[in-house]
Amino acid sequence: MTNSLLSQQLDALLTNETNFIANLSNASALLYQSLSDINWAGFYLYDEANNELHLGPFQGKVACMHIKNGSGICGTALQQQKVLRVDNVHEFAGHIACDSASNSEIVVPLIKDDKIIGVLDIDSPSLSRFSPEDEVELVEFSKTLLKHI
């Protein structure tokens, strides 16, 4: 399988960079600039001691700072350790509305060597914004990112 252009760009951007926060920051900026029809792209990082996600590097409007494991779309994706692609966030039980303009969302858990790093979270103001093809591309993007963490 050929790496998508987005994953290739990320790989080139992060080559020889070892700073965790810098890599997440540039990854969120790359997503925010490259994907159309999104209003938030970033990371929530897992805090094992408190069993919750903490806001990490992102692009977009201000965001929720703490999300309990199992709460909302991000916390549910973390708990289930699987990608969640939600066509209408308002129909997701327990959705946490950090930005009322967001209508659809995709969350990709970030796990490396059986260690939970956190989640990649992307929001859109449009309903049903994220396709199965987007999911495949973002999972690949996340794998590329994890190589640099």
Side-chain angles (χ1 to χ4, degrees), residues 5-138:
L5 178 58
L6 198 58
S7 289
Q8 290 174 25
Q9 289 173 317
L10 180 67
D11 195 45
L13 184 66
L14 303 185
T15 295
N16 297 323
E17 179 54 63
T18 58
N19 185 284
F20 179 64
I21 297 300
N23 285 349
L24 292 179
S25 297
N26 271 332
S28 63
L30 179 61
L31 287 168
Y32 196 74
Q33 292 174 351
S34 301
L35 299 177
S36 63
D37 195 26
I38 65 168
N39 59 344
W40 203 91
F43 300 93
Y44 281 94
L45 305 176
Y46 184 59
D47 174 8
E48 188 175 3
N50 293 305
N51 194 29
E52 67 180 10
L53 293 165
H54 290 182
L55 181 63
F58 71 94
Q59 299 282 309
K61 293 182 179 181
V62 297
C64 301
M65 295 184 11
H66 303 272
I67 299 174
K68 288 286 183 195
N69 190 358
S71 295
I73 298 166
C74 288
T76 302
L78 174 72
Q79 183 180 60
Q80 296 178 0
Q81 295 189 12
K82 71 175 193 176
V83 176
L84 286 184
R85 188 166 34 90
V86 179
D87 290 334
N88 184 345
V89 297
H90 309 290
E91 294 177 351
F92 188 93
H95 172 248
I96 302 167
C98 298
D99 179 359
S100 61
S102 293
N103 287 308
S104 63
E105 184 169 356
I106 187 166
V107 178
V108 180
L110 301 172
I111 301 167
K112 182 174 183 174
D113 301 327
D114 296 323
K115 180 178 182 342
I116 299 169
I117 307 297
V119 299
L120 165 62
D121 180 26
I122 304 175
D123 296 353
S124 172
S126 297
L127 295 170
S128 304
R129 159 59 181 90
F130 302 103
S131 67
E133 294 77 21
D134 291 324
E135 181 176 331
V136 168
E137 183 172 31
L138 292 169

